[in-house]
Amino acid sequence: MNTAVKNISLPEKIFTANNENFTSLALEVFNFQYNNNLTYKQYCNALRIDPTKINTIEKIPFLPISFFKTHTITTTDFDPAIIFESSGTTQTINSRHLIKDIDLYEKSFTNAFNLFYGKPEDWCILALLPSYLERNNSSLVIMADSLIKQSKHASSGFYLNELDQLQHTLIELEKQQQKTLLLGVTFALLDFAEQYSMPLKHTTIMETGGMKGRREELTRQEVHEILCNSFQLPTIHSEYGMTELLSQAYSKGNGIFNCPPWMKILIRDEDDPFTIHSSTSNFTSGAINIIDLANIYSCSFIATDDAGKLHANNSFEVLGRLDNSDIRGCSLLVL
């Protein structure tokens, strides 16, 4: 690591991550969080972890994601700028993610968007997020709002249930051959597809998941097939994010996701959660662990309730929910 990187603060270092320095950065974040996150330290101590012996990312303890429902997960003491909360259902307890620095979140999703899609100002961004717009603490709405503002396009904006208006906007944008991103919750995109089928040549559709019990459960493949047929598109894009993260992975088709450099997927054994499969040469399957270095002030090492498959090039698929996990509102799409 060069001197310039050494001399910047840890939050700034996060976005210098690459294949060569990811492990050293992750270990630095682990030690910072072990020493400054009481809940995480207690969890590590309960596992009888000796922090001085953690020298690979596979040895880092991953905090079960359910802790965000039952504990306050903060690294250092701070008054949160905002608290993200999962959508949930009336039968579940919502996750709460206390955010120290909203600018860190904005830097994470903006850098990732630039990496995968280019500058937001090159796009018209339409967000069809009815269930999320009804809440004041959705990380997805904050991300979409910022990208809409960064796009600076006159037609960029949110849509609640105005499907007719959305159709007219898309028709006009198609006439202008304007590169457009339609970001939508799954059930709303399906509603729109059923009522307003049209060919889209200059529009990318990105689904964020989320059926919220409003429709018959479908696999991601079935959802994408419906959307491709309705809009005559070759592929449907997807976003993989959650309340407990400050970073997102993206798929440009076929459910194959890629992470930004400061985020990494590992696969743990479903029967032994402390066994990490280090080899990806045989398309390793199991439960998904996530390292999100942007979670510097909460916990960067999370054992999710999702099952997945990791490919040799570090791309991954999400196969569904683990059997013993409760289903949150944002995850009712059967993958």
Side-chain angles (χ1 to χ4, degrees):
M1 190 182 299
N2 61 45
T3 303
V5 172
K6 285 183 179 179
N7 290 338
I8 65 176
S9 67
L10 187 53
E12 292 174 308
K13 283 185 187 179
I14 289 166
F15 300 107
T16 70
N18 54 46
N19 289 335
E20 288 71 36
N21 68 7
F22 186 90
T23 294
S24 63
L25 283 174
L27 294 175
E28 188 173 356
V29 170
F30 163 73
N31 282 290
F32 175 66
Q33 294 186 339
Y34 178 83
N35 289 310
N36 294 281
N37 185 323
L38 179 60
T39 300
Y40 186 56
K41 184 172 186 175
Q42 290 175 338
Y43 176 71
C44 292
N45 290 346
L47 297 178
R48 298 184 178 179
I49 297 296
D50 181 351
T52 64
K53 294 182 179 180
I54 303 298
N55 53 17
T56 68
I57 58 175
E58 289 81 12
K59 291 181 181 179
I60 294 174
F62 285 80
L63 188 74
I65 199 167
S66 60
F67 275 51
F68 282 84
K69 300 173 184 287
T70 57
H71 295 73
T72 298
I73 310 299
T74 56
T75 299
T76 72
D77 294 325
F78 59 86
D79 293 324
I82 191 171
I83 300 175
F84 294 153
E85 190 169 342
S86 62
S87 51
T89 67
T90 55
Q91 289 79 36
T92 61
I93 300 172
N94 293 349
S95 290
R96 299 173 79 250
H97 190 178
L98 279 63
I99 306 302
K100 178 178 181 179
D101 184 359
I102 195 68
D103 290 340
L104 185 62
Y105 177 49
E106 182 160 352
K107 187 171 184 179
S108 179
F109 66 67
T110 299
N111 286 356
F113 191 91
N114 288 339
L115 178 65
F116 290 108
Y117 293 98
K119 296 179 180 179
E121 53 261 39
D122 293 335
W123 295 79
C124 176
I125 299 177
L126 311 176
L128 181 60
L129 304 171
S131 58
Y132 294 88
L133 287 172
E134 295 160 357
R135 298 162 41 215
N136 296 321
N137 48 7
S138 165
S139 58
L140 179 59
V141 168
I142 288 178
M143 180 181 76
D145 182 58
S146 177
L147 293 175
I148 285 169
K149 290 175 180 175
Q150 290 181 59
S151 80
K152 299 179 182 178
H153 193 284
S155 296
S156 291
F158 284 102
Y159 289 84
L160 186 59
N161 297 302
E162 310 92 342
L163 299 185
D164 183 65
Q165 182 181 343
L166 177 59
Q167 179 204 29
H168 289 303
T169 300
L170 283 170
I171 289 173
E172 289 303 312
L173 292 169
E174 286 288 321
K175 288 179 181 178
Q176 300 166 19
Q177 300 185 14
Q178 167 64 47
K179 187 164 69 168
T180 300
L181 175 65
L182 173 56
L183 173 72
V185 64
T186 304
F187 76 85
L189 287 174
L190 289 172
D191 288 346
F192 183 60
E194 287 180 357
Q195 298 178 49
Y196 299 101
S197 178
M198 72 179 88
L200 296 175
K201 295 182 179 180
H202 306 284
T203 301
T204 296
I205 292 181
M206 180 188 294
E207 55 90 5
T208 67
M211 297 291 277
K212 291 188 69 65
R214 305 213 184 183
R215 300 177 62 100
E216 176 187 357
E217 299 300 328
L218 300 171
T219 65
R220 171 170 276 135
Q221 183 177 353
E222 289 170 332
V223 168
H224 287 201
E225 184 175 335
I226 292 171
L227 296 177
C228 283
N229 290 338
S230 293
F231 301 113
Q232 299 179 31
L233 291 169
T235 59
I236 301 298
H237 293 212
S238 303
E239 180 245 11
Y240 180 68
M242 55 189 70
T243 300
E244 300 85 354
L245 301 179
L246 291 187
S247 302
Q248 305 79 29
Y250 291 101
S251 166
K252 293 190 175 183
N254 303 312
I256 305 297
F257 289 89
N258 287 280
C259 295
W262 55 91
M263 179 182 181
K264 193 176 186 67
I265 300 296
L266 289 81
I267 297 294
R268 71 181 186 271
D269 192 295
E270 289 189 42
D271 297 321
D272 180 3
F274 303 110
T275 297
I276 304 296
H277 297 294
S278 58
S279 173
T280 62
S281 59
N282 294 317
F283 303 97
T284 303
S285 298
I288 292 178
N289 281 1
I290 297 177
I291 300 178
D292 181 7
L293 298 182
N295 271 18
I296 184 71
Y297 294 115
S298 55
C299 183
S300 291
F301 313 100
I302 297 176
T304 77
D305 292 332
D306 293 330
K309 178 186 292 185
L310 186 61
H311 293 261
N313 62 357
N314 288 320
S315 64
F316 69 99
E317 298 176 60
V318 183
L319 303 179
R321 302 284 288 174
L322 299 177
D323 290 341
N324 62 348
S325 64
D326 62 347
I327 298 179
R328 294 179 296 177
C330 61
S331 300
L332 288 182
L333 176 62
V334 179
L335 303 171

